[in-house]
Amino acid sequence: MADRSNGYVTGRARRERLLDAAIAAFGQSGFHTATLTEIARACGISRPGLLHHFDSKEALLTAVLERRDQIDGEAFTAAIARSTSPLQALVDITAENAKTPGLTELYAVLSAEATNPRHPAHEYFATLYGRLRANLTEALEVMRIAGELPAHLPADELASEIIALKDGLSLQALLLPGTIHPAAALATAIERLTGVAVRTTR
Amino acid sequence: MADRSNGYVTGRARRERLLDAAIAAFGQSGFHTATLTEIARACGISRPGLLHHFDSKEALLTAVLERRDQIDGEAFTAAIARSTSPLQALVDITAENAKTPGLTELYAVLSAEATNPRHPAHEYFATLYGRLRANLTEALEVMRIAGELPAHLPADELASEIIALKDGLSLQALLLPGTIHPAAALATAIERLTGVAVRTTR
């Protein structure tokens, strides 16, 4: 029993280590260049050992993206649980993401690579951005109806602008570290665009 | 004389074709993955033939980036010649860039990859973004002194926000084509942020 339990724990721990190594490798040189062999080697196992956990590079990429979705989802749920606005939740997620620059860099590289319809993550990112924009538009409409957003502001345009600011300010923070705090800059920009106050917890 | 002149023309034309092929290859799969062999083959020449024009992959990347600088520089000069504002010039450049999605995709991929300090284009992009932000900040200060921008708006924060909007809206236009026109969306966002009217010529 003990052995099987340990085996399970070791298997899970190794899977987590492989995901960390994949995030680092994909983030450094993009999905196409990183090799399964180098990711396996970084975890002290062989390529066939890695393929025991993830049966292809695409499966590993999917697992990496799902982990990020989970992290963002938890941050969003936590923000909603604190009964703050969706705009506050977005700023909180940006602050959380700034703590894992490797993952943020990976997302920046992959979302750009994935603009190519033949990229294996194209569907993922097209769907993600479509959903993000639709959800944020809806949340802003709800705020407007509740009188929390000026009536003349178009929710759909604002949603695109806020997502663009999140992406663009995060890129500047990665390229010119120390010159900009992405969550604080996003909070300021959102307030300037919408008139809605958003806090930054660093 | 005629032969030498033709040789020169052919050499220049081939160099241009190689740049086009490099833009396509780098944009599709990132700098690291694209090979000199495939770029040469796309132009109907050999790898050594390519190396006659560009002696390394890094040299080819530098030439691609310089070409884009030249295109953006010309668009900026044209906008200034029409004696419009620097904000108008940025929107005009975004409209120009939307006509070459391959180059825009390349820039999105490279700027994200280049957040890694070991990437060969890291210095280029860190310098470019630092300069862009400084120049735009200065241009906004000039507008403020001339009374063309509300006095309470901080030029440095606005500069970061406008650059972020340009990058982020262009990414959305590439990921979800047909749902957003990056130059028109940027013009609307700039007007919302600054109160300064900007035209979009599609």
Side-chain angles (χ1 to χ4, degrees), chain A residues 27-30 32-33 105 108-109 111-116 118-119 122 125-126 129-130 133 153-154 157-161 163-165 167-169 171-172 174-176 179-180 185 188-189 192-193, chain B residues 27-30 32-33 105 108-109 111-116 118-119 122 125-126 129-130 133 153-154 157-161 163-165 167-169 171-172 174-176 179-180 185 188-189 192-193:
Chain A
Q28 256 164 40
S29 46
H32 293 291
T33 315
E105 183 186 333
V109 172
S111 60
E113 280 186 357
T115 57
N116 187 319
R118 281 172 302 176
H119 193 280
H122 176 73
F125 277 99
Y129 272 75
R133 209 156 64 176
L153 292 174
E157 290 179 7
L158 271 186
S160 287
E161 290 164 7
I163 294 165
L165 283 163
D167 288 341
L169 293 169
L171 178 68
Q172 288 177 43
L174 286 170
L175 267 177
L176 301 166
T179 65
I180 196 174
T188 306
R192 210 188 312 283
L193 272 177
Chain B
Q28 256 164 40
S29 45
H32 293 291
T33 314
E105 183 187 334
V109 172
S111 60
E113 280 185 358
T115 57
N116 187 318
R118 283 172 300 178
H119 193 281
H122 176 72
F125 277 99
Y129 271 75
R133 209 154 67 174
L153 292 175
E157 291 179 6
L158 270 186
S160 288
E161 290 164 8
I163 293 164
L165 283 163
D167 288 340
L169 293 169
L171 178 68
Q172 287 176 43
L174 287 171
L175 267 177
L176 300 166
T179 65
I180 195 174
T188 305
R192 209 189 312 284
L193 271 177

Coordinates of all heavy atoms in Angstrom, one line a residue, chain A residues 27-30 32-33 105 108-109 111-116 118-119 122 125-126 129-130 133 153-154 157-161 163-165 167-169 171-172 174-176 179-180 185 188-189 192-193, chain B residues 27-30 32-33 105 108-109 111-116 118-119 122 125-126 129-130 133 153-154 157-161 163-165 167-169 171-172 174-176 179-180 185 188-189 192-193:
Chain A
G27 N 8.7 28.9 -23.0 CA 8.8 30.3 -22.8 C 10.1 30.9 -23.3 O 10.2 32.0 -23.8
Q28 N 11.2 30.1 -23.2 CA 12.5 30.6 -23.6 C 12.7 30.7 -25.1 O 13.2 31.6 -25.7 CB 13.6 29.7 -23.1 CG 14.3 30.3 -21.9 CD 15.2 29.3 -21.1 OE1 15.8 28.5 -21.7 NE2 15.1 29.4 -19.8
S29 N 12.2 29.7 -25.8 CA 12.4 29.7 -27.3 C 11.2 29.3 -28.1 O 11.4 29.1 -29.3 CB 13.6 28.7 -27.6 OG 13.4 27.5 -26.9
G30 N 10.0 29.3 -27.5 CA 8.8 29.0 -28.3 C 8.5 27.6 -28.3 O 9.4 26.7 -28.1
H32 N 7.9 25.6 -30.9 CA 8.4 24.8 -32.0 C 9.9 24.3 -31.7 O 10.3 23.2 -32.1 CB 8.4 25.6 -33.3 CG 7.1 25.8 -33.8 ND1 6.2 24.9 -34.3 CD2 6.3 27.0 -33.9 CE1 5.1 25.4 -34.7 NE2 5.1 26.7 -34.4
T33 N 10.7 25.2 -31.1 CA 12.1 24.9 -30.9 C 12.4 24.0 -29.7 O 13.3 23.1 -29.8 CB 12.9 26.2 -30.6 OG1 12.4 27.2 -31.5 CG2 14.3 26.0 -30.8
E105 N 5.7 35.0 -20.0 CA 6.5 35.1 -21.3 C 6.0 34.0 -22.2 O 5.9 34.2 -23.4 CB 8.0 34.8 -20.9 CG 8.9 35.0 -22.1 CD 10.4 34.6 -21.8 OE1 10.8 34.7 -20.6 OE2 11.1 34.1 -22.7
A108 N 2.9 35.1 -23.8 CA 3.1 36.1 -24.8 C 3.6 35.5 -26.1 O 3.2 35.8 -27.2 CB 4.1 37.2 -24.3
V109 N 4.6 34.6 -26.0 CA 5.2 33.9 -27.2 C 4.1 33.1 -27.9 O 4.0 33.2 -29.1 CB 6.4 33.1 -26.8 CG1 6.9 32.2 -28.0 CG2 7.6 33.9 -26.2
S111 N 0.8 33.1 -27.7 CA -0.4 33.8 -28.3 C 0.0 34.4 -29.6 O -0.8 34.5 -30.5 CB -0.9 34.8 -27.3 OG 0.0 35.8 -26.9
A112 N 1.3 34.9 -29.7 CA 1.7 35.5 -30.9 C 2.0 34.4 -32.0 O 1.5 34.6 -33.1 CB 3.0 36.3 -30.7
E113 N 2.7 33.4 -31.6 CA 2.9 32.3 -32.6 C 1.6 31.7 -33.1 O 1.5 31.3 -34.2 CB 3.7 31.1 -31.9 CG 5.2 31.3 -31.7 CD 5.8 30.0 -31.1 OE1 5.1 29.0 -30.8 OE2 7.0 30.0 -31.0
A114 N 0.6 31.6 -32.1 CA -0.7 31.0 -32.4 C -1.6 31.8 -33.3 O -2.7 31.4 -33.7 CB -1.4 30.6 -31.1
T115 N -1.1 33.1 -33.7 CA -1.9 33.8 -34.7 C -1.9 33.1 -36.0 O -2.8 33.3 -36.8 CB -1.4 35.3 -34.9 OG1 0.0 35.2 -35.2 CG2 -1.5 36.1 -33.6
N116 N -0.9 32.2 -36.2 CA -0.8 31.4 -37.4 C -1.8 30.3 -37.3 O -1.7 29.5 -36.4 CB 0.6 30.9 -37.5 CG 0.8 30.1 -38.8 OD1 0.0 29.4 -39.3 ND2 2.0 30.3 -39.5
R118 N -2.0 27.5 -38.5 CA -1.5 26.1 -38.5 C -0.8 25.8 -37.2 O -0.3 24.7 -37.0 CB -0.5 26.0 -39.7 CG -1.2 25.7 -41.0 CD -0.3 25.7 -42.2 NE 0.4 27.0 -42.2 CZ 1.4 27.3 -43.1 NH1 1.8 26.4 -44.0 NH2 2.0 28.5 -43.0
H119 N -0.7 26.8 -36.3 CA 0.0 26.5 -35.0 C -0.9 25.6 -34.2 O -2.1 25.7 -34.1 CB 0.2 27.8 -34.3 CG 1.2 27.6 -33.1 ND1 0.8 27.2 -31.9 CD2 2.5 27.9 -33.0 CE1 1.8 27.2 -31.0 NE2 2.9 27.6 -31.7
H122 N -3.5 27.3 -32.0 CA -4.3 28.4 -32.6 C -5.7 28.3 -32.1 O -6.2 29.3 -31.7 CB -4.2 28.3 -34.2 CG -5.1 29.3 -34.8 ND1 -4.8 30.6 -34.9 CD2 -6.4 29.1 -35.4 CE1 -5.8 31.2 -35.5 NE2 -6.7 30.4 -35.8
F125 N -6.0 29.5 -28.5 CA -5.9 31.0 -28.2 C -7.1 31.8 -28.9 O -7.5 32.8 -28.3 CB -4.5 31.5 -28.7 CG -3.5 31.3 -27.6 CD1 -2.6 30.2 -27.7 CD2 -3.4 32.1 -26.5 CE1 -1.7 30.0 -26.7 CE2 -2.5 31.9 -25.5 CZ -1.6 30.9 -25.6
A126 N -7.5 31.4 -30.1 CA -8.6 32.0 -30.7 C -9.9 31.9 -29.8 O -10.6 32.9 -29.6 CB -8.9 31.5 -32.1
Y129 N -9.4 34.0 -26.5 CA -9.6 35.4 -26.6 C -11.0 35.8 -27.0 O -11.5 36.8 -26.5 CB -8.6 36.0 -27.7 CG -7.3 36.4 -27.1 CD1 -6.3 35.4 -26.7 CD2 -7.0 37.7 -26.8 CE1 -5.2 35.8 -26.1 CE2 -5.8 38.1 -26.2 CZ -4.9 37.1 -25.9 OH -3.7 37.4 -25.2
G130 N -11.7 35.0 -27.8 CA -13.1 35.2 -28.1 C -13.9 35.1 -26.8 O -14.8 36.0 -26.5
R133 N -13.1 38.1 -24.3 CA -13.7 39.4 -24.8 C -15.2 39.3 -24.5 O -15.8 40.3 -24.0 CB -13.4 39.6 -26.3 CG -13.4 41.0 -26.7 CD -12.5 41.2 -27.9 NE -13.1 40.5 -29.1 CZ -12.6 40.7 -30.3 NH1 -11.5 41.4 -30.5 NH2 -13.1 40.1 -31.3
L153 N -20.3 54.5 -22.3 CA -19.1 53.7 -22.7 C -19.6 52.4 -23.3 O -20.3 51.6 -22.7 CB -18.3 53.4 -21.4 CG -17.5 54.6 -20.8 CD1 -16.8 54.2 -19.6 CD2 -16.5 55.2 -21.8
P154 N -19.1 52.1 -24.5 CA -19.5 50.9 -25.2 C -18.7 49.7 -24.6 O -17.5 49.6 -24.7 CB -19.1 51.1 -26.7 CG -18.1 52.2 -26.6 CD -18.2 53.0 -25.4
E157 N -16.1 47.6 -27.0 CA -14.9 48.3 -27.3 C -14.0 48.3 -26.0 O -12.8 48.1 -26.1 CB -15.1 49.7 -27.7 CG -15.8 49.8 -29.1 CD -16.1 51.2 -29.6 OE1 -15.6 52.2 -28.9 OE2 -16.7 51.4 -30.6
L158 N -14.6 48.6 -24.9 CA -13.8 48.7 -23.6 C -13.2 47.3 -23.3 O -12.0 47.3 -22.9 CB -14.7 49.0 -22.4 CG -14.9 50.5 -22.1 CD1 -15.8 50.6 -20.8 CD2 -13.6 51.2 -21.9
A159 N -13.9 46.2 -23.6 CA -13.4 44.9 -23.3 C -12.1 44.6 -24.1 O -11.1 44.2 -23.6 CB -14.5 43.8 -23.6
S160 N -12.2 45.0 -25.4 CA -11.0 44.8 -26.3 C -9.8 45.6 -25.8 O -8.7 45.2 -25.7 CB -11.3 45.2 -27.7 OG -12.1 44.2 -28.3
E161 N -10.1 46.9 -25.4 CA -9.1 47.8 -24.9 C -8.4 47.3 -23.6 O -7.2 47.4 -23.5 CB -9.7 49.2 -24.7 CG -10.1 49.8 -26.1 CD -11.0 51.0 -25.9 OE1 -11.3 51.5 -24.8 OE2 -11.5 51.6 -26.9
I163 N -8.3 44.2 -22.4 CA -7.5 43.0 -22.7 C -6.2 43.4 -23.4 O -5.1 42.9 -23.1 CB -8.3 42.0 -23.5 CG1 -9.5 41.4 -22.7 CG2 -7.4 40.8 -24.0 CD1 -10.5 40.7 -23.5
A164 N -6.3 44.3 -24.3 CA -5.1 44.8 -25.1 C -4.1 45.4 -24.1 O -2.9 45.2 -24.1 CB -5.4 45.8 -26.1
L165 N -4.6 46.2 -23.2 CA -3.7 46.9 -22.2 C -3.0 45.9 -21.3 O -1.8 46.0 -21.0 CB -4.5 47.9 -21.3 CG -4.9 49.2 -21.9 CD1 -6.0 49.9 -21.2 CD2 -3.7 50.1 -22.0
D167 N -2.3 42.7 -22.0 CA -1.2 42.0 -22.8 C 0.0 43.0 -23.1 O 1.1 42.6 -22.9 CB -1.8 41.6 -24.2 CG -2.7 40.4 -24.0 OD1 -2.7 39.7 -23.0 OD2 -3.5 40.2 -25.0
G168 N -0.3 44.2 -23.5 CA 0.7 45.1 -23.9 C 1.6 45.6 -22.7 O 2.8 45.7 -22.8
L169 N 0.9 45.9 -21.6 CA 1.7 46.4 -20.4 C 2.5 45.2 -19.9 O 3.6 45.4 -19.4 CB 0.7 46.9 -19.4 CG 0.0 48.2 -19.8 CD1 -1.1 48.6 -18.8 CD2 1.0 49.4 -19.9
L171 N 3.9 42.8 -21.6 CA 5.0 42.7 -22.5 C 6.1 43.8 -22.2 O 7.3 43.5 -22.1 CB 4.6 42.9 -24.0 CG 5.7 42.9 -25.0 CD1 6.3 41.5 -25.1 CD2 5.2 43.3 -26.4
Q172 N 5.6 45.0 -22.0 CA 6.6 46.1 -21.6 C 7.3 45.8 -20.3 O 8.5 46.0 -20.1 CB 5.9 47.4 -21.5 CG 5.5 48.0 -22.9 CD 4.7 49.3 -22.8 OE1 5.1 50.2 -22.0 NE2 3.7 49.4 -23.5
L174 N 8.0 42.8 -19.2 CA 9.0 41.8 -19.4 C 10.2 42.3 -20.2 O 11.4 42.0 -19.9 CB 8.4 40.6 -20.2 CG 7.4 39.7 -19.5 CD1 6.7 38.8 -20.5 CD2 8.1 38.9 -18.5
L175 N 10.0 43.2 -21.1 CA 11.1 43.7 -22.0 C 11.9 44.8 -21.2 O 13.1 44.9 -21.5 CB 10.5 44.4 -23.2 CG 10.3 43.6 -24.5 CD1 9.7 44.4 -25.6 CD2 11.7 43.0 -25.0
L176 N 11.3 45.6 -20.4 CA 12.0 46.6 -19.7 C 11.7 46.5 -18.2 O 11.0 47.3 -17.5 CB 11.4 48.0 -20.1 CG 11.6 48.3 -21.6 CD1 10.8 49.5 -22.1 CD2 13.1 48.5 -22.0
T179 N 10.8 49.1 -15.0 CA 10.3 50.4 -15.4 C 8.8 50.5 -15.2 O 8.3 51.6 -15.2 CB 10.7 50.7 -16.9 OG1 10.0 49.8 -17.7 CG2 12.1 50.6 -17.1
I180 N 8.2 49.3 -15.1 CA 6.7 49.3 -15.1 C 6.2 48.1 -14.2 O 6.8 47.1 -14.3 CB 6.2 49.3 -16.5 CG1 4.7 49.6 -16.6 CG2 6.4 47.9 -17.2 CD1 4.2 49.7 -18.1
A185 N 0.0 49.5 -13.5 CA -0.2 50.3 -14.7 C -1.6 49.9 -15.3 O -2.3 50.8 -15.8 CB 0.9 49.9 -15.7
T188 N -4.3 51.8 -13.3 CA -4.4 53.2 -13.6 C -5.1 53.4 -15.0 O -5.9 54.3 -15.1 CB -2.9 53.7 -13.7 OG1 -2.3 53.4 -12.5 CG2 -2.9 55.2 -14.0
A189 N -4.7 52.5 -15.9 CA -5.3 52.7 -17.3 C -6.8 52.4 -17.3 O -7.6 53.1 -17.9 CB -4.6 51.7 -18.3
R192 N -8.5 55.3 -15.9 CA -8.6 56.4 -16.8 C -9.6 56.2 -17.9 O -10.3 57.1 -18.3 CB -7.2 56.6 -17.5 CG -6.8 58.0 -17.9 CD -5.6 58.1 -18.7 NE -4.4 57.4 -18.2 CZ -3.6 57.8 -17.2 NH1 -3.9 58.9 -16.6 NH2 -2.6 57.1 -16.8
L193 N -9.8 54.9 -18.3 CA -10.7 54.6 -19.4 C -12.2 54.6 -18.9 O -13.1 55.0 -19.7 CB -10.4 53.2 -20.0 CG -9.4 53.1 -21.1 CD1 -9.2 51.6 -21.5 CD2 -9.8 53.9 -22.4
Chain B
G27 N 8.0 34.7 -39.0 CA 6.6 35.0 -38.5 C 5.8 33.7 -38.3 O 5.0 33.7 -37.4
Q28 N 6.0 32.7 -39.1 CA 5.2 31.5 -39.0 C 5.6 30.7 -37.7 O 4.8 30.1 -37.0 CB 5.4 30.6 -40.2 CG 4.1 30.7 -41.1 CD 4.5 30.1 -42.5 OE1 5.1 29.1 -42.6 NE2 4.0 30.8 -43.5
S29 N 6.9 30.5 -37.5 CA 7.3 29.6 -36.4 C 8.4 30.2 -35.5 O 8.9 29.5 -34.7 CB 7.8 28.3 -37.0 OG 8.7 28.6 -38.1
G30 N 8.6 31.5 -35.6 CA 9.5 32.1 -34.7 C 11.0 32.1 -35.2 O 11.2 31.3 -36.1
H32 N 13.8 31.0 -33.8 CA 14.6 29.8 -33.5 C 14.4 28.7 -34.5 O 15.3 27.9 -34.8 CB 14.4 29.4 -32.1 CG 14.9 30.4 -31.1 ND1 16.2 30.6 -30.9 CD2 14.2 31.2 -30.2 CE1 16.3 31.5 -29.9 NE2 15.1 31.9 -29.5
T33 N 13.1 28.5 -34.9 CA 12.7 27.3 -35.6 C 13.1 27.4 -37.1 O 13.5 26.5 -37.8 CB 11.2 27.0 -35.5 OG1 10.9 27.1 -34.1 CG2 10.9 25.6 -36.0
E105 N 2.8 39.9 -37.4 CA 2.9 38.6 -36.7 C 4.3 38.4 -36.3 O 4.6 38.0 -35.1 CB 2.4 37.5 -37.6 CG 2.4 36.1 -36.8 CD 2.1 35.0 -37.8 OE1 1.4 35.2 -38.8 OE2 2.5 33.8 -37.5
A108 N 5.2 40.5 -33.3 CA 4.5 40.1 -32.1 C 5.3 38.9 -31.5 O 5.6 38.8 -30.3 CB 3.1 39.7 -32.4
V109 N 5.7 37.9 -32.4 CA 6.4 36.7 -32.0 C 7.8 37.1 -31.5 O 8.2 36.7 -30.4 CB 6.6 35.7 -33.1 CG1 7.5 34.6 -32.7 CG2 5.2 35.1 -33.5
S111 N 9.0 40.1 -30.5 CA 9.0 41.0 -29.3 C 8.8 40.1 -28.0 O 9.4 40.4 -27.0 CB 8.1 42.1 -29.4 OG 6.7 41.6 -29.5
A112 N 7.9 39.1 -28.1 CA 7.7 38.2 -27.0 C 8.8 37.3 -26.7 O 9.3 37.2 -25.6 CB 6.4 37.4 -27.2
E113 N 9.4 36.6 -27.8 CA 10.6 35.8 -27.6 C 11.7 36.6 -27.0 O 12.5 36.1 -26.2 CB 11.0 35.3 -29.0 CG 10.3 34.1 -29.5 CD 10.9 33.5 -30.8 OE1 11.9 34.1 -31.3 OE2 10.4 32.6 -31.3
A114 N 11.8 37.8 -27.5 CA 13.0 38.7 -27.1 C 12.9 39.2 -25.7 O 13.8 39.9 -25.2 CB 13.1 39.9 -28.1
T115 N 11.8 38.9 -25.0 CA 11.8 39.3 -23.5 C 12.9 38.4 -22.8 O 13.3 38.8 -21.8 CB 10.4 39.0 -22.9 OG1 10.1 37.6 -23.1 CG2 9.4 39.9 -23.5
N116 N 13.3 37.3 -23.4 CA 14.4 36.5 -22.9 C 15.7 37.2 -23.1 O 16.1 37.4 -24.3 CB 14.3 35.1 -23.5 CG 15.3 34.2 -22.9 OD1 16.5 34.6 -22.6 ND2 14.9 32.9 -22.7
R118 N 18.6 36.3 -23.4 CA 19.5 35.5 -24.2 C 19.1 35.5 -25.7 O 19.8 35.0 -26.5 CB 19.7 34.1 -23.7 CG 20.6 34.1 -22.4 CD 20.6 32.7 -21.9 NE 19.3 32.3 -21.5 CZ 18.9 31.1 -21.0 NH1 19.9 30.2 -20.8 NH2 17.7 30.8 -20.6
H119 N 17.9 36.0 -26.0 CA 17.5 36.0 -27.4 C 18.3 37.0 -28.2 O 18.6 38.1 -27.7 CB 16.0 36.4 -27.5 CG 15.4 36.1 -28.8 ND1 15.5 37.0 -29.9 CD2 14.6 35.1 -29.2 CE1 14.8 36.5 -30.9 NE2 14.2 35.4 -30.5
H122 N 17.1 40.5 -28.2 CA 16.7 41.2 -27.0 C 17.1 42.6 -26.9 O 16.3 43.5 -26.6 CB 17.3 40.4 -25.8 CG 17.0 41.1 -24.5 ND1 15.8 41.0 -23.9 CD2 17.8 41.8 -23.6 CE1 15.8 41.7 -22.8 NE2 17.0 42.2 -22.6
F125 N 14.9 44.9 -29.2 CA 13.6 45.2 -28.7 C 13.5 46.0 -27.4 O 12.7 46.9 -27.3 CB 12.7 43.9 -28.6 CG 12.1 43.5 -29.9 CD1 12.7 42.5 -30.7 CD2 11.0 44.1 -30.5 CE1 12.2 42.1 -31.9 CE2 10.5 43.7 -31.7 CZ 11.1 42.7 -32.4
A126 N 14.5 45.7 -26.5 CA 14.5 46.5 -25.3 C 14.8 48.0 -25.7 O 14.2 48.9 -25.2 CB 15.6 46.0 -24.4
Y129 N 11.7 49.6 -27.6 CA 10.6 49.9 -26.7 C 10.9 51.1 -25.8 O 10.1 52.0 -25.5 CB 10.1 48.7 -25.9 CG 9.1 47.9 -26.6 CD1 9.4 47.1 -27.7 CD2 7.7 48.1 -26.3 CE1 8.4 46.5 -28.5 CE2 6.7 47.4 -27.1 CZ 7.1 46.6 -28.1 OH 6.1 46.0 -28.9
G130 N 12.2 51.1 -25.3 CA 12.6 52.2 -24.4 C 12.6 53.5 -25.2 O 12.1 54.6 -24.7
R133 N 8.9 54.6 -26.1 CA 8.2 55.2 -24.9 C 8.7 56.6 -24.6 O 7.9 57.5 -24.3 CB 8.4 54.2 -23.7 CG 7.3 54.3 -22.7 CD 7.2 53.0 -21.9 NE 8.4 52.8 -21.1 CZ 8.5 51.8 -20.2 NH1 7.5 50.9 -20.1 NH2 9.6 51.7 -19.5
L153 N -3.2 64.9 -17.5 CA -2.8 63.6 -17.9 C -1.3 63.4 -17.9 O -0.5 64.2 -18.5 CB -3.3 63.4 -19.4 CG -4.8 63.3 -19.5 CD1 -5.2 63.2 -21.0 CD2 -5.4 62.0 -18.8
P154 N -0.8 62.4 -17.2 CA 0.7 62.1 -17.1 C 1.2 61.5 -18.4 O 0.7 60.4 -18.8 CB 0.8 61.1 -16.0 CG -0.5 60.5 -15.8 CD -1.6 61.4 -16.4
E157 N 2.8 57.8 -18.4 CA 1.8 56.7 -18.3 C 1.0 56.5 -19.5 O 0.8 55.4 -20.0 CB 0.9 57.0 -17.1 CG 1.5 56.9 -15.7 CD 0.5 57.2 -14.6 OE1 -0.7 57.3 -14.8 OE2 1.0 57.2 -13.4
L158 N 0.6 57.6 -20.1 CA -0.2 57.6 -21.4 C 0.6 56.9 -22.5 O 0.1 56.1 -23.3 CB -0.5 59.0 -21.8 CG -1.8 59.6 -21.4 CD1 -2.0 61.0 -22.1 CD2 -3.0 58.7 -21.7
A159 N 1.9 57.2 -22.5 CA 2.8 56.7 -23.6 C 2.8 55.1 -23.5 O 2.6 54.4 -24.5 CB 4.2 57.2 -23.5
S160 N 3.0 54.6 -22.3 CA 3.0 53.2 -22.0 C 1.7 52.6 -22.4 O 1.6 51.5 -23.1 CB 3.3 52.8 -20.6 OG 4.6 53.0 -20.2
E161 N 0.6 53.3 -22.1 CA -0.8 52.7 -22.4 C -1.0 52.7 -23.9 O -1.6 51.7 -24.4 CB -1.8 53.6 -21.6 CG -1.8 53.4 -20.1 CD -2.5 54.5 -19.4 OE1 -3.2 55.4 -20.0 OE2 -2.4 54.6 -18.1
I163 N 1.1 52.5 -26.4 CA 2.0 51.5 -27.0 C 1.4 50.1 -26.7 O 1.3 49.2 -27.6 CB 3.4 51.6 -26.5 CG1 4.1 52.9 -27.0 CG2 4.2 50.4 -27.0 CD1 5.3 53.3 -26.3
A164 N 0.9 49.9 -25.4 CA 0.3 48.6 -25.1 C -1.0 48.4 -25.9 O -1.2 47.3 -26.3 CB 0.0 48.6 -23.6
L165 N -1.8 49.4 -26.1 CA -3.0 49.3 -26.9 C -2.7 48.9 -28.3 O -3.3 48.0 -28.9 CB -3.8 50.6 -26.8 CG -4.6 50.8 -25.5 CD1 -5.0 52.3 -25.4 CD2 -5.8 49.9 -25.5
D167 N 0.0 47.3 -29.4 CA 0.4 45.9 -29.5 C -0.7 44.9 -29.2 O -0.9 44.0 -30.0 CB 1.5 45.6 -28.4 CG 2.8 46.3 -28.7 OD1 3.1 46.6 -29.9 OD2 3.6 46.5 -27.8
G168 N -1.5 45.2 -28.2 CA -2.6 44.3 -27.8 C -3.7 44.2 -28.8 O -4.3 43.1 -29.1
L169 N -4.1 45.4 -29.4 CA -5.2 45.4 -30.4 C -4.7 44.7 -31.6 O -5.5 44.0 -32.3 CB -5.7 46.8 -30.6 CG -6.4 47.5 -29.4 CD1 -6.6 49.0 -29.7 CD2 -7.7 46.8 -29.1
L171 N -2.6 42.2 -31.8 CA -2.6 40.8 -31.5 C -4.1 40.3 -31.7 O -4.3 39.2 -32.3 CB -2.1 40.5 -30.1 CG -2.2 39.1 -29.6 CD1 -1.2 38.2 -30.4 CD2 -1.9 38.9 -28.2
Q172 N -5.0 41.0 -31.1 CA -6.4 40.5 -31.2 C -6.9 40.5 -32.7 O -7.6 39.6 -33.1 CB -7.4 41.4 -30.4 CG -7.2 41.2 -28.9 CD -8.1 42.2 -28.1 OE1 -9.2 42.5 -28.5 NE2 -7.5 42.8 -27.1
L174 N -5.0 39.8 -35.2 CA -4.4 38.7 -35.9 C -5.1 37.4 -35.4 O -5.3 36.5 -36.2 CB -2.9 38.6 -35.5 CG -2.0 39.6 -36.2 CD1 -0.6 39.6 -35.6 CD2 -1.9 39.3 -37.7
L175 N -5.4 37.3 -34.1 CA -6.0 36.1 -33.5 C -7.5 35.9 -34.0 O -7.9 34.8 -34.1 CB -5.9 36.1 -32.0 CG -4.7 35.5 -31.3 CD1 -4.8 35.7 -29.8 CD2 -4.6 34.0 -31.7
L176 N -8.2 37.0 -34.0 CA -9.6 37.0 -34.4 C -9.9 37.9 -35.6 O -10.5 38.9 -35.4 CB -10.5 37.4 -33.1 CG -10.3 36.6 -31.9 CD1 -10.8 37.4 -30.7 CD2 -10.9 35.3 -32.0
T179 N -12.9 40.6 -36.6 CA -13.7 41.1 -35.5 C -13.2 42.5 -35.1 O -14.0 43.2 -34.3 CB -13.6 40.2 -34.3 OG1 -12.2 40.2 -33.8 CG2 -14.0 38.8 -34.6
I180 N -12.0 42.9 -35.5 CA -11.5 44.2 -35.0 C -10.6 44.8 -36.1 O -9.8 44.0 -36.7 CB -10.7 43.9 -33.7 CG1 -10.5 45.2 -32.9 CG2 -9.5 43.2 -33.9 CD1 -9.9 44.9 -31.5
A185 N -9.6 50.7 -33.9 CA -9.8 50.5 -32.5 C -8.8 51.3 -31.7 O -9.1 51.8 -30.6 CB -9.6 49.0 -32.2
T188 N -10.0 55.0 -31.6 CA -11.1 55.1 -30.6 C -10.5 55.1 -29.2 O -10.9 55.9 -28.3 CB -12.1 53.9 -30.7 OG1 -12.5 53.9 -32.1 CG2 -13.3 54.1 -29.8
A189 N -9.6 54.2 -28.9 CA -9.0 54.1 -27.5 C -8.2 55.3 -27.2 O -8.3 55.8 -26.0 CB -8.2 52.8 -27.4
R192 N -10.6 58.0 -26.3 CA -11.2 57.8 -25.0 C -10.2 58.2 -23.9 O -10.6 58.7 -22.9 CB -11.6 56.4 -24.9 CG -12.8 56.1 -24.0 CD -13.1 54.7 -23.7 NE -13.1 53.8 -24.8 CZ -14.1 53.7 -25.7 NH1 -15.2 54.4 -25.6 NH2 -14.0 52.8 -26.7
L193 N -8.9 57.8 -24.1 CA -7.9 58.1 -23.0 C -7.5 59.5 -22.9 O -7.3 60.0 -21.8 CB -6.6 57.3 -23.3 CG -6.5 55.8 -22.8 CD1 -5.2 55.2 -23.3 CD2 -6.6 55.8 -21.3

